[in-house]
């Protein structure tokens, strides 16, 4: 799986949009971009994933650049409960039991 | 909403003892995983399991570790002779078998403390 680069930490004011960047310049054509988060030693939680089109679900939006070398996770209205470590993971979705490789992620702190 | 469950939430054991960590994956999922996270470190993959056999395993998953799906619902991780460095959070995860959708759903974890 391709390597990703994320800033180690970010702050965001409560109620504002949180924009978390991720670089994955070596991504291959069949690799998806996945985002997970981990709230204080709980199990990682799936957020969203995409291949090349922008995606939106009830939790977040994912913007992938046209060259697919970077992406941004957007939490539109951050709350205190969104404080967590956010992981950007590049992963082949082949319908097989492939491991996720977690990096250090971005510690997002939502401030009141 | 279906979820992965794990028991116990916290296990304390003496070095050299055997422990079994239990997981109940989401019922229609076919792929199962174990990860661990030593305090303050990254989440690390241990092993994946499909169709009653190991699909992938990491270097961490040595002969001291084994996995089993003893019945239609449980998925277990056994550590035969625990070491101090096995102290960690152990997370079970499961996923569907659908190409293009491989999101893994994680349980709350078992905190293993080896004394």
């Amino acid at each position: 799986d391709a390597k990703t680069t994320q800033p180690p930490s970010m702050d965001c004011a409560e109620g504002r949009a949180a924009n978390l960047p991720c670089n994955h310049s070596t991504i291959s054509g069949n690799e998806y971009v996945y985002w997970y988060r981990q709230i204080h030693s709980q199990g990682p939680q799936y957020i969203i994933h995409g291949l090349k089109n922008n995606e939106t679900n009830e939790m977040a939006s994912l913007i992938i650049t046209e060259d697919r070398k970077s992406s941004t996770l957007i939490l539109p209205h951050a709350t205190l409960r969104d404080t967590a470590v956010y992981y950007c993971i590049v992963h082949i979705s082949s319908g097989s039991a492939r491991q996720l490789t977690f990096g250090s992620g971005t510690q997002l702190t939502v401030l009141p | 909403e279906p979820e992965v469950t794990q028991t116990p939430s916290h296990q304390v054991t003496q070095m050299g003892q055997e422990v079994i960590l239990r997981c109940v994956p989401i019922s229609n999922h076919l792929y199962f995983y174990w990860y661990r996270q030593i305090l303050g470190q990254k989440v690390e993959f241990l092993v994946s399991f499909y169709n009653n056999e190991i699909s992938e395993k990491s270097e961490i998953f040595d002969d001291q570790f084994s996995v089993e799906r003893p019945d239609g619902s449980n998925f277990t991780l056994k550590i035969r002779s625990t070491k101090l460095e096995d102290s960690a959070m152990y997370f079970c995860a499961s996923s569907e078998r659908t190409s293009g959708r491989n999101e893994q759903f994680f349980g709350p974890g078992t905190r293993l403390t080896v004394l």
Side-chain angles (χ1 to χ4, degrees):
Chain A
D1 291 339
K3 182 177 169 56
T4 63
T5 305
Q6 299 177 252
S9 64
M10 292 182 65
D11 291 341
C12 175
E14 188 178 17
R16 305 297 294 267
N19 296 282
L20 293 94
C22 179
N23 287 320
H24 33 78
S25 58
T26 59
I27 191 170
S28 301
N30 60 349
E31 289 178 318
Y32 288 69
V33 180
Y34 277 77
W35 284 83
Y36 285 77
R37 73 181 182 183
Q38 187 176 26
I39 298 171
H40 189 57
S41 296
Q42 295 179 21
Q45 178 188 22
Y46 165 79
I47 302 173
I48 198 167
H49 76 284
L51 183 62
K52 53 185 177 181
N53 297 321
N54 298 339
E55 301 288 344
T56 296
N57 63 19
E58 65 278 4
M59 290 183 69
S61 295
L62 174 60
I63 308 297
I64 303 173
T65 58
E66 194 168 339
D67 63 8
R68 301 207 325 123
K69 292 184 177 181
S70 65
S71 60
T72 301
L73 178 75
I74 301 172
L75 307 178
H77 306 288
T79 70
L80 299 178
R81 289 176 295 180
D82 292 321
T83 292
V85 179
Y86 286 78
Y87 300 100
C88 169
I89 299 172
V90 171
H91 187 62
I92 292 176
S93 281
S94 61
S96 62
R98 294 293 302 272
Q99 60 175 287
L100 293 171
T101 301
F102 288 83
S104 300
T106 296
Q107 170 67 59
L108 174 69
T109 301
V110 181
L111 303 171
Chain B
E1 186 174 322
E3 59 183 19
V4 176
T5 59
Q6 292 186 242
T7 54
S9 58
H10 191 185
Q11 174 89 48
V12 181
T13 189
Q14 295 290 325
M15 189 170 55
Q17 295 296 305
E18 175 184 286
V19 295
I20 297 176
L21 310 183
R22 291 183 167 80
C23 168
V24 179
I26 294 173
S27 62
N28 63 333
H29 286 185
L30 297 178
Y31 297 105
F32 314 113
Y33 313 81
W34 284 101
Y35 293 81
R36 78 172 187 189
Q37 186 175 32
I38 296 170
L39 186 64
Q41 298 187 22
K42 298 176 184 178
V43 177
E44 300 173 289
F45 168 77
L46 292 178
V47 65
S48 60
F49 192 84
Y50 168 70
N51 200 25
N52 282 320
E53 59 183 32
I54 290 173
S55 298
E56 281 186 299
K57 61 182 181 179
S58 70
E59 293 177 352
I60 303 168
F61 194 88
D62 61 21
D63 292 343
Q64 292 300 310
F65 291 88
S66 63
V67 289
E68 193 178 31
R69 188 157 163 81
D71 53 42
S73 59
N74 290 288
F75 180 51
T76 62
L77 175 70
K78 181 193 289 187
I79 309 175
R80 276 182 249 286
S81 178
T82 51
K83 303 187 280 283
L84 295 176
E85 54 265 37
D86 293 328
S87 293
M89 283 290 290
Y90 287 80
F91 297 109
C92 173
S94 67
S95 65
E96 296 182 81
R97 184 190 180 203
T98 306
S99 181
R101 293 200 60 181
N102 198 27
E103 55 262 43
Q104 296 179 20
F105 293 86
F106 287 76
T110 293
R111 180 173 299 283
L112 176 65
T113 302
V114 182
L115 303 176

